[in-house]
Amino acid sequence: MKTSDKGIEFIKRHEGLRLKAYQCPAGVWTIGYGSTGGVRQGDVITEAQAEVKLREDLRTAENEVNRHKLNINQNQFDALVSFTFNVGSGNFRSSTLLKRIKENPNHPDIQNQFNRWIYAGGKVLPGLIKRRAEEAKLYFK
């Protein structure tokens, strides 16, 4: 599967667009729509470059979700790509969220598992609380 246009807009809305490199709350240099690969302090990009980086990063997240061969619909896929894009493939791969989905894509604990991922740099972030709630809502839509 691939991320839908609605899924891409969902991710863009939650990531926001920053054309100059900045350190996210976890202390990672970030640019564009949440891209972290190879980003250094002082980097600057255009909106077109941010779009290209996003598409590349989405492929990584899509490949991670697809490799588990989950029996899910487009909304569920988009929610999981957003989650994986944000927390990273390794965290998704080892998450109880993935374990629950593999047990049953409609497992009642899935929403709770989304809501556990609200920390960055050891702190609860209101933006992550909102994002996880919206990912869970999208997942069950």
Side-chain angles (χ1 to χ4, degrees):
M1 293 181 87
K2 293 188 73 71
T3 309
S4 70
D5 290 342
K6 286 182 183 178
I8 291 169
E9 291 308 312
F10 180 94
I11 292 166
K12 284 180 171 182
R13 188 173 69 252
H14 283 283
E15 292 293 339
L17 174 61
R18 305 270 295 268
L19 300 179
K20 185 175 180 188
Y22 66 98
Q23 281 187 297
C24 74
V28 178
W29 284 103
T30 307
I31 201 164
Y33 294 105
S35 294
T36 58
V39 179
R40 294 183 307 261
Q41 183 177 4
D43 285 354
V44 177
I45 60 173
T46 66
E47 189 169 346
Q49 289 169 318
E51 187 76 29
V52 169
K53 282 182 160 294
L54 174 63
R55 300 295 172 150
E56 290 169 356
D57 293 342
L58 282 178
R59 271 196 300 278
T60 299
E62 289 167 345
N63 289 342
E64 179 59 37
V65 174
N66 281 325
R67 75 187 286 265
H68 298 284
K69 302 189 185 330
L70 305 170
N71 184 23
I72 56 176
N73 65 37
Q74 186 67 54
N75 286 336
Q76 291 169 323
F77 182 80
D78 289 350
L80 293 176
V81 169
S82 173
F83 178 84
T84 304
F85 179 87
N86 185 244
V87 305
S89 294
N91 284 327
F92 175 66
R93 194 176 308 130
S94 64
S95 71
T96 303
L97 172 63
L98 177 58
K99 181 180 177 185
R100 294 290 185 264
I101 294 166
K102 285 181 174 182
E103 290 170 9
N104 172 2
N106 296 306
H107 195 291
D109 189 43
I110 288 172
Q111 182 162 350
N112 295 329
Q113 293 305 317
F114 272 107
N115 293 333
R116 292 179 61 209
W117 293 83
I118 57 172
Y119 298 88
K123 297 177 185 172
V124 173
L125 296 184
L128 289 180
I129 293 171
K130 181 179 181 192
R131 182 175 186 154
R132 297 300 172 244
E134 290 185 20
E135 286 168 344
K137 183 177 178 182
L138 176 59
Y139 183 92
F140 285 107
K141 187 173 180 182

